[in-house]
Amino acid sequence: MSMNLSRRTVVRIISFLTAGVLALAVTVLAQRNALAYERQQNANTYLRAFDQLTSSVDKLDAALEKCVYATSPATVSALSAQIYAEALSAQQALGELPYANLQLEQTAAFVAKTGDYASALSRSVLQNDGYSGDELDSVKALHKAAAELKERLHTLENQLYDGTATLEDVEAVTKRLSQLTEEGDVLADSSYQDIEAEFPEMPTLIYDGPFSEHLQSRTAAMLEGADSVSQEEARRLAADWLGLDAADLTGETDRNGKLPCYVFSALLEDGSSTIYVTKQGGQVLAWGNGRTVGAETMDAQQGVEAARRYLEGHGITGMEESYFIDQGNCLTVNFAATQDGVTCYPDLIKVEVALDTGSVVGYEASGYLMNHTRRTDTVPAVTAEEAGQVVSGELEVLSCQLAIVPTDGEDEVLCWEFKCENEDGLHYIVYVNAATGAEHRLFRLVEDESGTLVI
């Protein structure tokens, strides 16, 4: 059967097809232009971020240089605050560059360590009336490294502006990072490679902060001198802790790190559990039960008492509840050790209680194992009355006790702990150094029906 189309129909068909092709072409062109615009916008964003990074490192280096020659504690403290601020600015800029955490890993680490060290230095020079120990040498070394980094950043900046280098977009970086050499190393063809290549040597930083080198070799105080246990001994200890037979534990593996452990699993009636036992000393580091928790049938105070009974049932005594938080019908209670009436906050154990039945579904004791030991100096040089003079007159003191508090560098300070209240009924904790009488820390307590947070 044949079909005869009129001339008018053919014209209409051709017109419709032509219009469709033109519409498609316009759509494709618009999408292409939009993509090009987006790429250009991203390129401008990355360029501004790199400019900010370069500028911040410039200012950071200049402040470090001034720190080398400053002699007044107040001047060094002010310059340290500037270094810290510029380090934060540089970190913000790095966060805006695509995959900078991988491609500029050493740069990011240097900026973070320098900022944290400057923060600690600011406190130290004021407390010690100037540089102490190797602080000046550390500042000199940081200045030398910052100066080298600054030059490399400026070299790349010049290449970006004369067009001989570009900052990759996320898609390009993702594609390149997925291409690995046979040795598993990322192919080094990004614009950043000259910055990271032969990165300036970082000085050894020994200070009161999380990047201090002394933390890398720190050992668990509670496990010092303890014998190693075999996997079978650890299995028995884990089974005893859980109230099971050793044969009920399966899936044994090893976990290395600061506290090497044997790891076991068990399938219980109410869910699967995993437990970690230290290879040295055979102490339970942590365990957790993955069961689903139902609706609450008890209040927070009952949960705290259940957590306390759990610790005592495992022979852990001399602990004091510090604060708790209720999250998803589970109450996490933080316990700190006590010695001679002094609360030792570094010796922390966390117990998680399910508020449907009051059973314990989680336990974590890394702070306790790392720090728990007999302290030899718990006698204050400053009386509570003398320390109380430091507390602001805008606060009413509700209670006072001695406490050992951790520092940023995992050291310890004996302090008078004052719990206070302001005129609006908000609560604060003021710590006063029990050796010097100087204010050490101040925190605000955020309290609601779910528990207490310290900020």
Side-chain angles (χ1 to χ4, degrees):
M1 183 176 68
S2 61
M3 180 179 294
N4 296 321
L5 299 177
S6 66
R7 181 181 180 86
R8 179 178 296 179
T9 301
V10 171
V11 170
R12 285 178 177 174
I13 292 174
I14 294 174
S15 298
F16 287 144
L17 288 175
T18 302
V21 170
L22 287 174
L24 179 62
V26 169
T27 300
V28 170
L29 182 61
Q31 290 177 341
R32 183 175 299 173
N33 289 338
L35 182 60
Y37 177 76
E38 181 180 354
R39 288 183 180 276
Q40 185 59 49
Q41 290 295 100
N42 287 338
N44 292 339
T45 298
Y46 301 148
L47 191 57
R48 284 195 298 271
F50 191 82
D51 284 343
Q52 179 185 335
L53 172 63
T54 304
S55 174
S56 296
V57 171
D58 277 354
K59 296 174 183 176
L60 182 150
D61 176 56
L64 282 167
E65 183 178 13
K66 295 174 186 176
C67 261
V68 172
Y69 305 109
T71 57
S72 163
T75 301
V76 175
S77 180
L79 289 169
S80 297
Q82 182 182 345
I83 294 167
Y84 179 76
E86 295 303 336
L88 286 181
S89 177
Q91 286 177 293
Q92 180 183 10
L94 284 166
E96 295 179 10
L97 293 171
Y99 288 90
N101 60 320
L102 293 177
Q103 299 188 101
L104 290 171
E105 181 180 7
Q106 296 181 90
T107 301
F110 171 77
V111 168
K113 290 179 180 180
T114 302
D116 190 75
Y117 183 77
S119 179
L121 181 65
S122 177
R123 297 189 298 269
S124 176
V125 294
L126 291 177
Q127 292 172 359
N128 300 309
D129 197 30
Y131 288 121
S132 63
D134 299 324
E135 289 174 342
L136 180 57
D137 289 337
S138 294
V139 171
K140 290 179 180 178
L142 287 172
H143 165 49
K144 179 180 178 181
E148 292 184 40
L149 174 60
K150 178 183 69 174
E151 292 305 316
R152 296 186 184 194
L153 288 171
H154 276 293
T155 297
L156 176 54
E157 186 177 45
N158 291 335
Q159 294 172 345
L160 293 173
Y161 280 105
D162 66 21
T164 58
T166 59
L167 295 176
E168 300 169 290
D169 60 21
V170 174
E171 181 181 350
V173 177
T174 303
K175 181 178 179 180
R176 184 172 53 76
L177 292 179
S178 68
Q179 299 173 339
L180 303 180
T181 65
E182 293 181 358
E183 292 75 23
D185 297 324
V186 176
L187 294 172
D189 58 356
S190 78
S191 299
Y192 301 128
Q193 61 184 326
D194 289 337
I195 297 176
E196 290 284 286
E198 299 179 4
F199 193 86
E201 183 179 356
M202 273 291 293
T204 298
L205 301 176
I206 305 295
Y207 71 108
D208 182 22
F211 297 112
S212 178
E213 297 295 329
H214 80 281
L215 298 181
Q216 305 304 314
S217 58
R218 189 167 180 263
T219 58
M222 189 173 173
L223 303 182
E224 285 185 5
D227 295 331
S228 297
V229 299
S230 67
Q231 189 176 74
E232 285 309 306
E233 288 176 302
R235 177 194 293 271
R236 178 181 57 78
L237 292 166
D240 288 344
W241 185 279
L242 296 175
L244 302 172
D245 293 329
D248 294 330
L249 298 181
T250 60
E252 57 273 1
T253 59
D254 287 5
R255 192 196 77 165
N256 296 316
K258 187 175 290 186
L259 286 170
C261 292
Y262 297 110
V263 185
F264 304 96
S265 299
L267 185 60
L268 308 178
E269 291 183 0
D270 57 356
S272 60
S273 292
T274 303
I275 186 168
Y276 298 77
V277 179
T278 62
K279 294 182 178 181
Q280 183 184 14
Q283 296 288 327
V284 173
L285 171 66
W287 86 274
N289 185 333
R291 78 172 177 87
T292 301
V293 179
E296 295 183 8
T297 63
M298 58 181 61
D299 60 25
Q301 194 53 48
Q302 290 173 309
V304 171
E305 290 305 316
R308 186 184 302 280
R309 289 194 300 271
Y310 181 82
L311 291 182
E312 293 174 350
H314 286 88
I316 302 174
T317 59
M319 306 296 290
E320 178 180 288
E321 173 239 326
S322 56
Y323 58 94
F324 61 82
I325 185 166
D326 182 353
Q327 294 177 309
N329 299 340
C330 282
L331 188 77
T332 300
V333 189
N334 292 269
F335 290 91
T338 60
Q339 177 189 319
D340 304 327
V342 179
T343 302
C344 305
Y345 286 113
D347 305 8
L348 197 67
I349 293 178
K350 298 180 181 181
V351 181
E352 188 175 1
V353 179
L355 294 179
D356 56 353
T357 64
S359 64
V360 171
V361 293
Y363 171 90
E364 195 273 319
S366 58
Y368 187 73
L369 297 183
M370 287 298 297
N371 300 296
H372 188 56
T373 187
R374 180 75 185 175
R375 272 75 175 188
T376 58
D377 186 11
T378 57
V379 179
V382 175
T383 67
E385 291 73 18
E386 291 170 332
Q389 300 301 312
V390 178
V391 178
S392 169
E394 300 296 316
L395 296 173
E396 177 188 355
V397 174
L398 303 179
S399 64
C400 172
Q401 68 171 11
L402 279 172
I404 292 174
V405 298
T407 67
D408 293 335
E410 298 187 22
D411 291 327
E412 298 179 348
V413 179
L414 178 66
C415 290
W416 285 105
E417 178 187 67
F418 295 93
K419 184 173 182 180
C420 307
E421 184 177 80
N422 71 0
E423 60 181 9
D424 296 322
L426 299 177
H427 291 149
Y428 295 79
I429 297 291
V430 179
Y431 289 104
V432 178
N433 190 308
T436 66
E439 185 178 76
H440 178 68
R441 292 283 176 84
L442 187 150
F443 297 103
R444 184 163 74 85
L445 302 181
V446 180
E447 300 162 304
D448 57 25
E449 64 278 359
S450 67
T452 303
L453 290 177
V454 180
I455 60 174

